[in-house]
Amino acid sequence: MITRDSLDSAVPAALRLKKRIKRFALDNELDHLPIGDIVAVALDEWLTTRGF
């Protein structure tokens, strides 16, 4: 079991992130994963490349 924290964040609707993430998940056969897992990996990779 993975311990989880909530990351509450409001993002601009114009970015259509929910729709784009769902499309990404379907295109990459990741639709079985929660959207939060995809967002967590993307954010972790982004921070890691910047040395955080």
Side-chain angles (χ1 to χ4, degrees):
M1 181 177 202
I2 298 173
T3 303
R4 296 179 180 270
D5 287 330
S6 177
L7 182 62
D8 296 323
S9 181
V11 296
L15 295 176
R16 299 177 23 212
L17 291 176
K18 280 186 179 183
K19 182 176 182 172
R20 292 166 60 200
I21 291 169
K22 287 180 182 180
R23 185 75 236 165
F24 169 83
L26 287 170
D27 288 353
N28 291 279
E29 299 180 7
L30 299 173
D31 53 313
H32 63 283
L33 292 176
I35 289 177
D37 286 1
I38 296 169
V39 171
V41 169
L43 185 54
D44 178 60
E45 288 181 6
W46 185 78
L47 289 169
T48 299
T49 61
R50 285 156 179 78
F52 293 93

